[in-house]
Every structure is written in structure tokens, then in C-alpha cells.
Amino acid sequence: MREPEPASRPADVPPHPGPHAPVETWTGRASGRLQWFLAVAGLACLALGVELAVDSSWASGITPLVMAVVGCIAAGLLILYGTLAFVHVAVRVDDDALEVRCGHLGFPRRRILLGTVADVDYAPSVCPRHWGGWGYRWRPERGMAVVVRRGEGLVLRLTDGHSLTVTVDDARSAVRAIRNRLPEASSSY
């Protein structure tokens, strides 16, 4: 007598990972567009400072000229850093931690161990106006946030009572990825 063959899984359905199987790393990002206009303003300040330094014939003396040049260049650099550092955010979730990196250089960066995450929620509408603008924000009644655009995001609630809101594309899958890695999730398998 011939033994029955085991039922085979369709090729397009991946097997369910066991409790000790490594879970794939989730990555996502979000970009803002309005910050590019501010970056152009920063470049204009830098150009004005250079123009004043190179092509100036001020009769008022050297002190006002140096103050104007340094002021324009400093303002331009601050505007450029402030906008380019928060023109996009990258989020990475692995087995141990969630990492949030801002801008092209990845600074500021925040790494949160998943063992310190009490809960995570999906936020359908994160608005820069509610946080006081774009960038790395803190509001006493709301916690910390990394906001680079209006739209969906995730809200981490940490075991120490703090919270972190991050705007990121496909935030629902980020929330799912984090929940699958929380310590309580491994005991439910």
C-alpha cells in the first residue's frame, strides 16, 4: 500500500516562522518636500554672505562688514542643516531594536531597544502643526516626535512612560513588524 503524500503548501505562501526563527528586517522611510524650499533660502543666505565678503566696498568699516558676512553665512548654514537634516527619515526594525535616522547623514539618530517598548500604535494623521513644525520635536503633553511630513506614522509607548511618534510611509506594516517582535508576541506562538 502506498502512503499518502503530505499536503504541500502553495509556492506563493511563505511558511509561518516559528518562535525562534529570525524575522526579516523591516525598513521604511518618509520624505518631506516643503523643506527643500527652506534649503534654497539657506543657500541664498550663504550666497549673500559670500557676495558681501568678496565684492564689498563698505565705507562704514570692517566691523559691520565682518558681522554681516558672518551673520549671513551662519544663518545660511543653520537653515541648511535644519532643513536637510529633516528632509527625510529612515526607520529600521530588526530583532533587537527600532532605529530612527534623520536626513542624509543619518543624524540625529535614535535607537530604541524593543525590550523597552510597551506598545505601538498606528497614527493615521500626524500633522506638523500639532507638533510645532517639522523636525525632532518635544511636547510635554505628547512626548517626542520626528516629523518630516503630514500623514501616517507610528506611536511607540515606552515602558518608562515616554512616547515617540515617527512619520513613516506604510506605518501599518511597521506597527505589525514591531508588534511581532515584542516580548509578549513570542509567547503567543
Side-chain angles (χ1 to χ4, degrees):
M1 195 175 222
R2 188 173 169 208
E3 289 186 31
E5 292 185 25
S8 64
R9 176 182 302 274
D12 60 341
V13 178
H16 181 65
H20 301 293
V23 182
E24 193 172 311
T25 299
W26 185 91
T27 58
R29 55 184 289 144
S31 297
R33 293 183 186 95
L34 188 61
Q35 290 92 329
W36 288 109
F37 293 114
L38 296 172
V40 170
L43 283 174
C45 284
L46 276 174
L48 178 61
V50 170
E51 173 69 23
L52 286 173
V54 172
D55 202 21
S56 177
S57 60
W58 286 12
S60 303
I62 190 76
T63 304
L65 176 63
V66 169
M67 290 174 61
V69 168
V70 170
C72 286
I73 291 175
L77 289 174
L78 284 173
I79 292 170
L80 275 174
Y81 174 73
T83 56
L84 294 180
F86 295 104
V87 77
H88 70 83
V89 63
V91 178
R92 181 175 187 263
V93 180
D94 59 23
D95 290 336
D96 300 322
L98 171 128
E99 185 176 66
V100 179
R101 301 180 87 175
C102 300
H104 298 288
L105 299 176
F107 181 79
R109 175 185 351 187
R110 180 142 186 213
R111 184 174 166 85
I112 298 171
L113 296 175
L114 293 179
T116 64
V117 175
D119 195 17
V120 60
D121 291 317
Y122 172 75
S125 179
V126 177
C127 183
R129 184 173 22 110
H130 297 149
W131 287 95
W134 289 282
Y136 206 94
R137 299 294 180 177
W138 176 73
R139 302 274 310 254
E141 69 278 3
R142 301 186 84 181
M144 305 274 308
V146 179
V147 181
V148 295
R149 53 122 174 99
R150 173 191 322 239
E152 67 179 331
L154 61 94
V155 180
L156 290 173
R157 295 193 196 338
L158 305 178
T159 55
D160 63 2
H162 293 96
S163 68
L164 175 69
T165 302
V166 181
T167 55
V168 65
D169 295 335
D170 196 18
R172 286 182 200 258
S173 67
V175 169
R176 233 183 345 268
I178 294 168
R179 283 186 179 158
N180 288 340
R181 289 169 170 85
L182 291 180
E184 300 86 42
S186 63
S187 65
S188 65
Y189 283 119

